[in-house]
Amino acid sequence: MIKIIFLGTSGAIPTRKRNHPSILLKYNKENILIDCGEGTQRQFKFARVSPQKITRLLITHWHGDHVLGIPGFLQSLFFNGYSKTLMIYGPKGIKQQISNVLKAFPMYNDVKVKVEEVLGKFVETDDFYIEAKPLTHGKIPTNAYIFVKKGKLRIDKNKLRKLKLPSGPLLKRLKEGKNIIYNKKKYLAKNLTFSEGDKKISIVLDTSMNKKISSFVKNSDLLISEATLDSSLEKLAKERGHLSARQAAEIAKKSLSKKLILMHISNRYEKDSEKILKDAKKVFKNTTLAKDLDVVRI
Ligand SMILES: [Zn+2]
Ligand SMILES: [Zn+2]
């Protein structure tokens, strides 16, 4: 089971109800933090999760609302004697930015960090993988991420029949994802198998509408998307490199995603966030609007 905790759900300006953006994804021994807006270390307290458990930090882009919490978060780790190496991933430029943070707060240099600028699949285990896709957000590099828990590998029996491959030990190898050789010819496992029962979580934060998004998040079990403004302000959303709630819903629909959760809501909707939700629901019914500290299990 994958557990998602919405630590912060605001847009650029935090409000009384919404902290700066941050999402915690828990799966087995992995505790992956996506973005770390101001006050994230305190949100951990409210969520009753120890920051010590963090294994990876994924940054979407270097705008304050998504990263102002990094020094404070590192301080939490430092005070608690974090002994692992914190893996930090982000778009182009992240190495320099994190190095600047560590220079500005040299006392936290005891926390071991390793920073990688990522594109495509950058973490893969037997059980899951994480992939990054660059999107469009003004001039600043920004990444969307997918987390995929791998399902079971199944054999495509039709293809097998067509190729007249015999059953037996060869099939066992294929099921393990290994390539096979039959009659001196090599067959790649990836061409003869498919994965069934994958669980896919997609996270699309700051970006303007972009055709690449729906193919990247295709068939998500859960799509988490920014919805900074409502559809009446789409022109402004475009100028500022953001999505409207309606556009987020269109992505969910086009990508055949099962569920959409909206966050990164502008402070102008503090008293009327239903407006954002209604906007999206007109296009994609299975939409909810995240509140801080909401927990979702997939
Ligand atoms: Zn933002
Ligand atoms: Zn931004």
Side-chain angles (χ1 to χ4, degrees), residues 137-172:
H137 187 46
K139 285 187 182 135
I140 194 156
T142 189
N143 274 350
Y145 294 103
I146 53 169
F147 174 94
V148 179
K149 176 179 134 16
K150 293 180 191 172
K152 282 213 171 88
L153 213 55
R154 304 262 187 223
I155 290 176
D156 189 331
K157 286 184 181 153
N158 284 334
K159 280 188 185 167
L160 223 61
R161 231 173 279 140
K162 270 184 202 156
L163 296 167
K164 298 199 169 67
L165 290 169
S167 50
L170 284 177
L171 288 199
K172 195 171 166 256

PDB file of all heavy atoms in Angstrom, residues 137-172:
ATOM      1  N   HIS A 137       7.435  26.120 -16.984  1.00  0.00           N
ATOM      2  CA  HIS A 137       7.002  27.022 -15.911  1.00  0.00           C
ATOM      3  C   HIS A 137       7.828  28.298 -16.016  1.00  0.00           C
ATOM      4  O   HIS A 137       8.789  28.473 -15.274  1.00  0.00           O
ATOM      5  CB  HIS A 137       7.220  26.297 -14.580  1.00  0.00           C
ATOM      6  CG  HIS A 137       6.675  27.020 -13.380  1.00  0.00           C
ATOM      7  ND1 HIS A 137       5.424  27.581 -13.344  1.00  0.00           N
ATOM      8  CD2 HIS A 137       7.213  27.250 -12.159  1.00  0.00           C
ATOM      9  CE1 HIS A 137       5.230  28.130 -12.162  1.00  0.00           C
ATOM     10  NE2 HIS A 137       6.304  27.950 -11.420  1.00  0.00           N
ATOM     11  N   GLY A 138       7.456  29.147 -16.978  1.00  0.00           N
ATOM     12  CA  GLY A 138       8.257  30.343 -17.244  1.00  0.00           C
ATOM     13  C   GLY A 138       9.658  29.924 -17.641  1.00  0.00           C
ATOM     14  O   GLY A 138       9.846  28.980 -18.403  1.00  0.00           O
ATOM     15  N   LYS A 139      10.648  30.608 -17.076  1.00  0.00           N
ATOM     16  CA  LYS A 139      12.032  30.323 -17.481  1.00  0.00           C
ATOM     17  C   LYS A 139      12.696  29.296 -16.577  1.00  0.00           C
ATOM     18  O   LYS A 139      13.835  28.904 -16.798  1.00  0.00           O
ATOM     19  CB  LYS A 139      12.841  31.616 -17.441  1.00  0.00           C
ATOM     20  CG  LYS A 139      12.510  32.518 -18.628  1.00  0.00           C
ATOM     21  CD  LYS A 139      13.443  33.709 -18.673  1.00  0.00           C
ATOM     22  CE  LYS A 139      13.049  34.588 -19.842  1.00  0.00           C
ATOM     23  NZ  LYS A 139      13.004  35.983 -19.509  1.00  0.00           N
ATOM     24  N   ILE A 140      11.998  28.880 -15.533  1.00  0.00           N
ATOM     25  CA  ILE A 140      12.659  28.049 -14.534  1.00  0.00           C
ATOM     26  C   ILE A 140      12.452  26.550 -14.831  1.00  0.00           C
ATOM     27  O   ILE A 140      11.337  26.143 -15.156  1.00  0.00           O
ATOM     28  CB  ILE A 140      12.169  28.440 -13.113  1.00  0.00           C
ATOM     29  CG1 ILE A 140      13.066  27.843 -12.050  1.00  0.00           C
ATOM     30  CG2 ILE A 140      10.741  28.046 -12.857  1.00  0.00           C
ATOM     31  CD1 ILE A 140      13.033  28.609 -10.758  1.00  0.00           C
ATOM     32  N   PRO A 141      13.532  25.749 -14.770  1.00  0.00           N
ATOM     33  CA  PRO A 141      13.343  24.307 -15.025  1.00  0.00           C
ATOM     34  C   PRO A 141      12.428  23.700 -13.964  1.00  0.00           C
ATOM     35  O   PRO A 141      12.563  23.991 -12.775  1.00  0.00           O
ATOM     36  CB  PRO A 141      14.761  23.728 -14.890  1.00  0.00           C
ATOM     37  CG  PRO A 141      15.684  24.881 -14.932  1.00  0.00           C
ATOM     38  CD  PRO A 141      14.919  26.077 -14.460  1.00  0.00           C
ATOM     39  N   THR A 142      11.493  22.876 -14.414  1.00  0.00           N
ATOM     40  CA  THR A 142      10.555  22.252 -13.477  1.00  0.00           C
ATOM     41  C   THR A 142      10.305  20.811 -13.883  1.00  0.00           C
ATOM     42  O   THR A 142      10.276  20.494 -15.065  1.00  0.00           O
ATOM     43  CB  THR A 142       9.234  23.067 -13.417  1.00  0.00           C
ATOM     44  OG1 THR A 142       8.417  22.591 -12.353  1.00  0.00           O
ATOM     45  CG2 THR A 142       8.441  22.982 -14.691  1.00  0.00           C
ATOM     46  N   ASN A 143      10.170  19.939 -12.909  1.00  0.00           N
ATOM     47  CA  ASN A 143       9.940  18.512 -13.171  1.00  0.00           C
ATOM     48  C   ASN A 143       8.596  18.057 -12.631  1.00  0.00           C
ATOM     49  O   ASN A 143       8.202  18.474 -11.545  1.00  0.00           O
ATOM     50  CB  ASN A 143      10.990  17.662 -12.437  1.00  0.00           C
ATOM     51  CG  ASN A 143      12.266  17.481 -13.233  1.00  0.00           C
ATOM     52  OD1 ASN A 143      12.331  17.828 -14.404  1.00  0.00           O
ATOM     53  ND2 ASN A 143      13.285  16.918 -12.587  1.00  0.00           N
ATOM     54  N   ALA A 144       7.944  17.172 -13.390  1.00  0.00           N
ATOM     55  CA  ALA A 144       6.841  16.387 -12.826  1.00  0.00           C
ATOM     56  C   ALA A 144       7.438  15.026 -12.506  1.00  0.00           C
ATOM     57  O   ALA A 144       8.465  14.644 -13.071  1.00  0.00           O
ATOM     58  CB  ALA A 144       5.726  16.246 -13.842  1.00  0.00           C
ATOM     59  N   TYR A 145       6.804  14.284 -11.579  1.00  0.00           N
ATOM     60  CA  TYR A 145       7.329  12.976 -11.200  1.00  0.00           C
ATOM     61  C   TYR A 145       6.236  11.921 -11.236  1.00  0.00           C
ATOM     62  O   TYR A 145       5.074  12.223 -10.935  1.00  0.00           O
ATOM     63  CB  TYR A 145       7.905  13.025  -9.774  1.00  0.00           C
ATOM     64  CG  TYR A 145       9.116  13.915  -9.649  1.00  0.00           C
ATOM     65  CD1 TYR A 145       9.014  15.187  -9.084  1.00  0.00           C
ATOM     66  CD2 TYR A 145      10.354  13.503 -10.123  1.00  0.00           C
ATOM     67  CE1 TYR A 145      10.126  16.026  -8.986  1.00  0.00           C
ATOM     68  CE2 TYR A 145      11.479  14.327 -10.029  1.00  0.00           C
ATOM     69  CZ  TYR A 145      11.354  15.580  -9.458  1.00  0.00           C
ATOM     70  OH  TYR A 145      12.451  16.404  -9.372  1.00  0.00           O
ATOM     71  N   ILE A 146       6.637  10.696 -11.592  1.00  0.00           N
ATOM     72  CA  ILE A 146       5.723   9.568 -11.371  1.00  0.00           C
ATOM     73  C   ILE A 146       6.430   8.555 -10.471  1.00  0.00           C
ATOM     74  O   ILE A 146       7.643   8.350 -10.581  1.00  0.00           O
ATOM     75  CB  ILE A 146       5.266   8.865 -12.682  1.00  0.00           C
ATOM     76  CG1 ILE A 146       6.451   8.448 -13.551  1.00  0.00           C
ATOM     77  CG2 ILE A 146       4.311   9.733 -13.463  1.00  0.00           C
ATOM     78  CD1 ILE A 146       6.064   7.534 -14.697  1.00  0.00           C
ATOM     79  N   PHE A 147       5.637   7.958  -9.584  1.00  0.00           N
ATOM     80  CA  PHE A 147       6.113   6.864  -8.738  1.00  0.00           C
ATOM     81  C   PHE A 147       5.294   5.649  -9.144  1.00  0.00           C
ATOM     82  O   PHE A 147       4.064   5.680  -9.082  1.00  0.00           O
ATOM     83  CB  PHE A 147       5.881   7.211  -7.261  1.00  0.00           C
ATOM     84  CG  PHE A 147       6.219   6.080  -6.323  1.00  0.00           C
ATOM     85  CD1 PHE A 147       7.485   5.996  -5.724  1.00  0.00           C
ATOM     86  CD2 PHE A 147       5.285   5.091  -6.043  1.00  0.00           C
ATOM     87  CE1 PHE A 147       7.789   4.946  -4.871  1.00  0.00           C
ATOM     88  CE2 PHE A 147       5.589   4.037  -5.191  1.00  0.00           C
ATOM     89  CZ  PHE A 147       6.847   3.979  -4.601  1.00  0.00           C
ATOM     90  N   VAL A 148       5.959   4.593  -9.578  1.00  0.00           N
ATOM     91  CA  VAL A 148       5.223   3.404 -10.025  1.00  0.00           C
ATOM     92  C   VAL A 148       5.640   2.191  -9.214  1.00  0.00           C
ATOM     93  O   VAL A 148       6.821   1.806  -9.213  1.00  0.00           O
ATOM     94  CB  VAL A 148       5.459   3.128 -11.533  1.00  0.00           C
ATOM     95  CG1 VAL A 148       4.696   1.880 -11.966  1.00  0.00           C
ATOM     96  CG2 VAL A 148       5.046   4.324 -12.368  1.00  0.00           C
ATOM     97  N   LYS A 149       4.675   1.629  -8.484  1.00  0.00           N
ATOM     98  CA  LYS A 149       4.925   0.354  -7.801  1.00  0.00           C
ATOM     99  C   LYS A 149       4.672  -0.728  -8.842  1.00  0.00           C
ATOM    100  O   LYS A 149       3.599  -0.779  -9.447  1.00  0.00           O
ATOM    101  CB  LYS A 149       3.962   0.215  -6.624  1.00  0.00           C
ATOM    102  CG  LYS A 149       4.077  -1.110  -5.913  1.00  0.00           C
ATOM    103  CD  LYS A 149       3.100  -1.128  -4.772  1.00  0.00           C
ATOM    104  CE  LYS A 149       2.260  -2.372  -4.612  1.00  0.00           C
ATOM    105  NZ  LYS A 149       2.574  -3.598  -5.238  1.00  0.00           N
ATOM    106  N   LYS A 150       5.679  -1.553  -9.057  1.00  0.00           N
ATOM    107  CA  LYS A 150       5.560  -2.527 -10.140  1.00  0.00           C
ATOM    108  C   LYS A 150       4.587  -3.650  -9.776  1.00  0.00           C
ATOM    109  O   LYS A 150       4.622  -4.179  -8.663  1.00  0.00           O
ATOM    110  CB  LYS A 150       6.929  -3.150 -10.413  1.00  0.00           C
ATOM    111  CG  LYS A 150       7.949  -2.180 -10.974  1.00  0.00           C
ATOM    112  CD  LYS A 150       9.253  -2.922 -11.188  1.00  0.00           C
ATOM    113  CE  LYS A 150      10.386  -1.974 -11.485  1.00  0.00           C
ATOM    114  NZ  LYS A 150      11.684  -2.661 -11.499  1.00  0.00           N
ATOM    115  N   GLY A 151       3.774  -4.015 -10.746  1.00  0.00           N
ATOM    116  CA  GLY A 151       2.873  -5.146 -10.559  1.00  0.00           C
ATOM    117  C   GLY A 151       3.595  -6.431 -10.931  1.00  0.00           C
ATOM    118  O   GLY A 151       4.816  -6.481 -10.988  1.00  0.00           O
ATOM    119  N   LYS A 152       2.823  -7.452 -11.220  1.00  0.00           N
ATOM    120  CA  LYS A 152       3.426  -8.735 -11.601  1.00  0.00           C
ATOM    121  C   LYS A 152       3.707  -8.747 -13.100  1.00  0.00           C
ATOM    122  O   LYS A 152       2.925  -8.237 -13.885  1.00  0.00           O
ATOM    123  CB  LYS A 152       2.458  -9.860 -11.258  1.00  0.00           C
ATOM    124  CG  LYS A 152       2.440 -10.222  -9.804  1.00  0.00           C
ATOM    125  CD  LYS A 152       2.166 -11.726  -9.650  1.00  0.00           C
ATOM    126  CE  LYS A 152       2.355 -12.160  -8.225  1.00  0.00           C
ATOM    127  NZ  LYS A 152       1.149 -12.028  -7.416  1.00  0.00           N
ATOM    128  N   LEU A 153       4.811  -9.386 -13.461  1.00  0.00           N
ATOM    129  CA  LEU A 153       5.145  -9.512 -14.874  1.00  0.00           C
ATOM    130  C   LEU A 153       4.356 -10.673 -15.468  1.00  0.00           C
ATOM    131  O   LEU A 153       4.404 -11.791 -14.967  1.00  0.00           O
ATOM    132  CB  LEU A 153       6.656  -9.766 -14.999  1.00  0.00           C
ATOM    133  CG  LEU A 153       7.330  -9.190 -16.231  1.00  0.00           C
ATOM    134  CD1 LEU A 153       7.065  -7.694 -16.354  1.00  0.00           C
ATOM    135  CD2 LEU A 153       8.832  -9.439 -16.166  1.00  0.00           C
ATOM    136  N   ARG A 154       3.606 -10.401 -16.521  1.00  0.00           N
ATOM    137  CA  ARG A 154       2.821 -11.453 -17.185  1.00  0.00           C
ATOM    138  C   ARG A 154       3.350 -11.661 -18.597  1.00  0.00           C
ATOM    139  O   ARG A 154       3.851 -10.727 -19.226  1.00  0.00           O
ATOM    140  CB  ARG A 154       1.349 -11.027 -17.288  1.00  0.00           C
ATOM    141  CG  ARG A 154       0.744 -10.693 -15.954  1.00  0.00           C
ATOM    142  CD  ARG A 154      -0.031 -11.863 -15.427  1.00  0.00           C
ATOM    143  NE  ARG A 154      -0.743 -11.474 -14.235  1.00  0.00           N
ATOM    144  CZ  ARG A 154      -0.820 -12.231 -13.136  1.00  0.00           C
ATOM    145  NH1 ARG A 154      -0.225 -13.407 -13.101  1.00  0.00           N
ATOM    146  NH2 ARG A 154      -1.493 -11.816 -12.098  1.00  0.00           N
ATOM    147  N   ILE A 155       3.145 -12.860 -19.082  1.00  0.00           N
ATOM    148  CA  ILE A 155       3.629 -13.162 -20.432  1.00  0.00           C
ATOM    149  C   ILE A 155       2.512 -12.923 -21.444  1.00  0.00           C
ATOM    150  O   ILE A 155       1.351 -13.280 -21.213  1.00  0.00           O
ATOM    151  CB  ILE A 155       4.125 -14.618 -20.489  1.00  0.00           C
ATOM    152  CG1 ILE A 155       5.421 -14.689 -19.671  1.00  0.00           C
ATOM    153  CG2 ILE A 155       4.375 -15.064 -21.912  1.00  0.00           C
ATOM    154  CD1 ILE A 155       6.007 -16.032 -19.530  1.00  0.00           C
ATOM    155  N   ASP A 156       2.868 -12.316 -22.554  1.00  0.00           N
ATOM    156  CA  ASP A 156       1.901 -12.074 -23.619  1.00  0.00           C
ATOM    157  C   ASP A 156       1.772 -13.352 -24.447  1.00  0.00           C
ATOM    158  O   ASP A 156       2.587 -13.633 -25.326  1.00  0.00           O
ATOM    159  CB  ASP A 156       2.393 -10.893 -24.477  1.00  0.00           C
ATOM    160  CG  ASP A 156       1.348 -10.445 -25.468  1.00  0.00           C
ATOM    161  OD1 ASP A 156       0.547 -11.298 -25.893  1.00  0.00           O
ATOM    162  OD2 ASP A 156       1.342  -9.252 -25.818  1.00  0.00           O
ATOM    163  N   LYS A 157       0.756 -14.130 -24.128  1.00  0.00           N
ATOM    164  CA  LYS A 157       0.646 -15.474 -24.738  1.00  0.00           C
ATOM    165  C   LYS A 157       0.419 -15.425 -26.247  1.00  0.00           C
ATOM    166  O   LYS A 157       0.869 -16.307 -26.973  1.00  0.00           O
ATOM    167  CB  LYS A 157      -0.458 -16.262 -24.042  1.00  0.00           C
ATOM    168  CG  LYS A 157      -0.013 -16.705 -22.662  1.00  0.00           C
ATOM    169  CD  LYS A 157      -1.030 -17.554 -21.967  1.00  0.00           C
ATOM    170  CE  LYS A 157      -0.494 -17.923 -20.582  1.00  0.00           C
ATOM    171  NZ  LYS A 157      -1.544 -18.174 -19.613  1.00  0.00           N
ATOM    172  N   ASN A 158      -0.281 -14.394 -26.702  1.00  0.00           N
ATOM    173  CA  ASN A 158      -0.504 -14.277 -28.158  1.00  0.00           C
ATOM    174  C   ASN A 158       0.811 -14.149 -28.910  1.00  0.00           C
ATOM    175  O   ASN A 158       1.032 -14.812 -29.919  1.00  0.00           O
ATOM    176  CB  ASN A 158      -1.370 -13.053 -28.468  1.00  0.00           C
ATOM    177  CG  ASN A 158      -2.811 -13.340 -28.140  1.00  0.00           C
ATOM    178  OD1 ASN A 158      -3.232 -14.511 -28.153  1.00  0.00           O
ATOM    179  ND2 ASN A 158      -3.552 -12.299 -27.810  1.00  0.00           N
ATOM    180  N   LYS A 159       1.661 -13.293 -28.388  1.00  0.00           N
ATOM    181  CA  LYS A 159       2.962 -13.087 -29.040  1.00  0.00           C
ATOM    182  C   LYS A 159       3.773 -14.375 -29.008  1.00  0.00           C
ATOM    183  O   LYS A 159       4.439 -14.721 -29.973  1.00  0.00           O
ATOM    184  CB  LYS A 159       3.730 -11.970 -28.327  1.00  0.00           C
ATOM    185  CG  LYS A 159       3.278 -10.597 -28.727  1.00  0.00           C
ATOM    186  CD  LYS A 159       4.186  -9.541 -28.150  1.00  0.00           C
ATOM    187  CE  LYS A 159       3.657  -8.159 -28.462  1.00  0.00           C
ATOM    188  NZ  LYS A 159       4.330  -7.137 -27.670  1.00  0.00           N
ATOM    189  N   LEU A 160       3.693 -15.062 -27.885  1.00  0.00           N
ATOM    190  CA  LEU A 160       4.434 -16.314 -27.713  1.00  0.00           C
ATOM    191  C   LEU A 160       4.005 -17.345 -28.758  1.00  0.00           C
ATOM    192  O   LEU A 160       4.819 -18.032 -29.370  1.00  0.00           O
ATOM    193  CB  LEU A 160       4.138 -16.847 -26.307  1.00  0.00           C
ATOM    194  CG  LEU A 160       5.312 -17.378 -25.535  1.00  0.00           C
ATOM    195  CD1 LEU A 160       6.351 -16.296 -25.322  1.00  0.00           C
ATOM    196  CD2 LEU A 160       4.862 -17.908 -24.186  1.00  0.00           C
ATOM    197  N   ARG A 161       2.696 -17.420 -28.955  1.00  0.00           N
ATOM    198  CA  ARG A 161       2.147 -18.380 -29.924  1.00  0.00           C
ATOM    199  C   ARG A 161       2.612 -18.032 -31.341  1.00  0.00           C
ATOM    200  O   ARG A 161       3.044 -18.888 -32.084  1.00  0.00           O
ATOM    201  CB  ARG A 161       0.614 -18.338 -29.847  1.00  0.00           C
ATOM    202  CG  ARG A 161       0.008 -19.738 -29.677  1.00  0.00           C
ATOM    203  CD  ARG A 161      -1.476 -19.640 -29.425  1.00  0.00           C
ATOM    204  NE  ARG A 161      -1.775 -19.325 -28.031  1.00  0.00           N
ATOM    205  CZ  ARG A 161      -2.720 -18.491 -27.622  1.00  0.00           C
ATOM    206  NH1 ARG A 161      -3.467 -17.842 -28.491  1.00  0.00           N
ATOM    207  NH2 ARG A 161      -2.923 -18.283 -26.337  1.00  0.00           N
ATOM    208  N   LYS A 162       2.552 -16.746 -31.633  1.00  0.00           N
ATOM    209  CA  LYS A 162       2.966 -16.306 -32.970  1.00  0.00           C
ATOM    210  C   LYS A 162       4.425 -16.645 -33.243  1.00  0.00           C
ATOM    211  O   LYS A 162       4.801 -17.003 -34.352  1.00  0.00           O
ATOM    212  CB  LYS A 162       2.770 -14.782 -33.102  1.00  0.00           C
ATOM    213  CG  LYS A 162       1.399 -14.435 -33.615  1.00  0.00           C
ATOM    214  CD  LYS A 162       1.275 -12.940 -33.829  1.00  0.00           C
ATOM    215  CE  LYS A 162      -0.192 -12.551 -33.805  1.00  0.00           C
ATOM    216  NZ  LYS A 162      -0.391 -11.160 -33.435  1.00  0.00           N
ATOM    217  N   LEU A 163       5.249 -16.480 -32.220  1.00  0.00           N
ATOM    218  CA  LEU A 163       6.684 -16.745 -32.401  1.00  0.00           C
ATOM    219  C   LEU A 163       7.018 -18.230 -32.241  1.00  0.00           C
ATOM    220  O   LEU A 163       8.168 -18.639 -32.400  1.00  0.00           O
ATOM    221  CB  LEU A 163       7.489 -15.922 -31.390  1.00  0.00           C
ATOM    222  CG  LEU A 163       7.400 -14.406 -31.555  1.00  0.00           C
ATOM    223  CD1 LEU A 163       7.963 -13.687 -30.327  1.00  0.00           C
ATOM    224  CD2 LEU A 163       8.156 -13.949 -32.787  1.00  0.00           C
ATOM    225  N   LYS A 164       5.993 -19.030 -31.889  1.00  0.00           N
ATOM    226  CA  LYS A 164       6.152 -20.488 -31.701  1.00  0.00           C
ATOM    227  C   LYS A 164       7.247 -20.818 -30.682  1.00  0.00           C
ATOM    228  O   LYS A 164       8.080 -21.700 -30.896  1.00  0.00           O
ATOM    229  CB  LYS A 164       6.433 -21.161 -33.043  1.00  0.00           C
ATOM    230  CG  LYS A 164       5.306 -20.998 -34.053  1.00  0.00           C
ATOM    231  CD  LYS A 164       5.418 -22.036 -35.167  1.00  0.00           C
ATOM    232  CE  LYS A 164       4.192 -22.082 -36.036  1.00  0.00           C
ATOM    233  NZ  LYS A 164       3.956 -20.900 -36.853  1.00  0.00           N
ATOM    234  N   LEU A 165       7.217 -20.072 -29.584  1.00  0.00           N
ATOM    235  CA  LEU A 165       8.187 -20.353 -28.527  1.00  0.00           C
ATOM    236  C   LEU A 165       7.633 -21.441 -27.610  1.00  0.00           C
ATOM    237  O   LEU A 165       6.443 -21.428 -27.280  1.00  0.00           O
ATOM    238  CB  LEU A 165       8.460 -19.087 -27.711  1.00  0.00           C
ATOM    239  CG  LEU A 165       9.240 -17.990 -28.441  1.00  0.00           C
ATOM    240  CD1 LEU A 165       9.215 -16.698 -27.648  1.00  0.00           C
ATOM    241  CD2 LEU A 165      10.682 -18.415 -28.677  1.00  0.00           C
ATOM    242  N   PRO A 166       8.441 -22.398 -27.206  1.00  0.00           N
ATOM    243  CA  PRO A 166       7.947 -23.496 -26.368  1.00  0.00           C
ATOM    244  C   PRO A 166       7.761 -23.051 -24.915  1.00  0.00           C
ATOM    245  O   PRO A 166       8.418 -22.093 -24.483  1.00  0.00           O
ATOM    246  CB  PRO A 166       9.071 -24.524 -26.455  1.00  0.00           C
ATOM    247  CG  PRO A 166      10.300 -23.710 -26.682  1.00  0.00           C
ATOM    248  CD  PRO A 166       9.888 -22.503 -27.450  1.00  0.00           C
ATOM    249  N   SER A 167       6.870 -23.702 -24.207  1.00  0.00           N
ATOM    250  CA  SER A 167       6.734 -23.389 -22.779  1.00  0.00           C
ATOM    251  C   SER A 167       7.843 -24.127 -22.020  1.00  0.00           C
ATOM    252  O   SER A 167       8.660 -24.803 -22.628  1.00  0.00           O
ATOM    253  CB  SER A 167       5.348 -23.781 -22.283  1.00  0.00           C
ATOM    254  OG  SER A 167       5.079 -25.090 -22.679  1.00  0.00           O
ATOM    255  N   GLY A 168       7.844 -23.993 -20.724  1.00  0.00           N
ATOM    256  CA  GLY A 168       8.899 -24.643 -19.934  1.00  0.00           C
ATOM    257  C   GLY A 168       9.865 -23.625 -19.360  1.00  0.00           C
ATOM    258  O   GLY A 168       9.471 -22.503 -19.036  1.00  0.00           O
ATOM    259  N   PRO A 169      11.130 -24.011 -19.235  1.00  0.00           N
ATOM    260  CA  PRO A 169      12.122 -23.149 -18.548  1.00  0.00           C
ATOM    261  C   PRO A 169      12.276 -21.769 -19.189  1.00  0.00           C
ATOM    262  O   PRO A 169      12.529 -20.776 -18.493  1.00  0.00           O
ATOM    263  CB  PRO A 169      13.443 -23.917 -18.676  1.00  0.00           C
ATOM    264  CG  PRO A 169      13.118 -25.255 -19.209  1.00  0.00           C
ATOM    265  CD  PRO A 169      11.718 -25.262 -19.716  1.00  0.00           C
ATOM    266  N   LEU A 170      12.054 -21.711 -20.514  1.00  0.00           N
ATOM    267  CA  LEU A 170      12.192 -20.409 -21.174  1.00  0.00           C
ATOM    268  C   LEU A 170      11.161 -19.418 -20.641  1.00  0.00           C
ATOM    269  O   LEU A 170      11.446 -18.244 -20.429  1.00  0.00           O
ATOM    270  CB  LEU A 170      12.015 -20.558 -22.689  1.00  0.00           C
ATOM    271  CG  LEU A 170      13.196 -21.148 -23.462  1.00  0.00           C
ATOM    272  CD1 LEU A 170      12.833 -21.284 -24.931  1.00  0.00           C
ATOM    273  CD2 LEU A 170      14.436 -20.285 -23.317  1.00  0.00           C
ATOM    274  N   LEU A 171       9.951 -19.927 -20.441  1.00  0.00           N
ATOM    275  CA  LEU A 171       8.876 -19.063 -19.924  1.00  0.00           C
ATOM    276  C   LEU A 171       9.187 -18.576 -18.516  1.00  0.00           C
ATOM    277  O   LEU A 171       8.888 -17.437 -18.162  1.00  0.00           O
ATOM    278  CB  LEU A 171       7.543 -19.815 -19.898  1.00  0.00           C
ATOM    279  CG  LEU A 171       6.892 -20.090 -21.229  1.00  0.00           C
ATOM    280  CD1 LEU A 171       5.421 -20.393 -21.020  1.00  0.00           C
ATOM    281  CD2 LEU A 171       7.024 -18.904 -22.175  1.00  0.00           C
ATOM    282  N   LYS A 172       9.776 -19.451 -17.753  1.00  0.00           N
ATOM    283  CA  LYS A 172      10.126 -19.079 -16.378  1.00  0.00           C
ATOM    284  C   LYS A 172      11.115 -17.893 -16.398  1.00  0.00           C
ATOM    285  O   LYS A 172      10.961 -16.944 -15.638  1.00  0.00           O
ATOM    286  CB  LYS A 172      10.750 -20.291 -15.675  1.00  0.00           C
ATOM    287  CG  LYS A 172      10.812 -20.137 -14.186  1.00  0.00           C
ATOM    288  CD  LYS A 172      11.226 -21.418 -13.491  1.00  0.00           C
ATOM    289  CE  LYS A 172      11.606 -21.105 -12.064  1.00  0.00           C
ATOM    290  NZ  LYS A 172      13.037 -21.109 -11.821  1.00  0.00           N
TER     291      LYS A 172
END
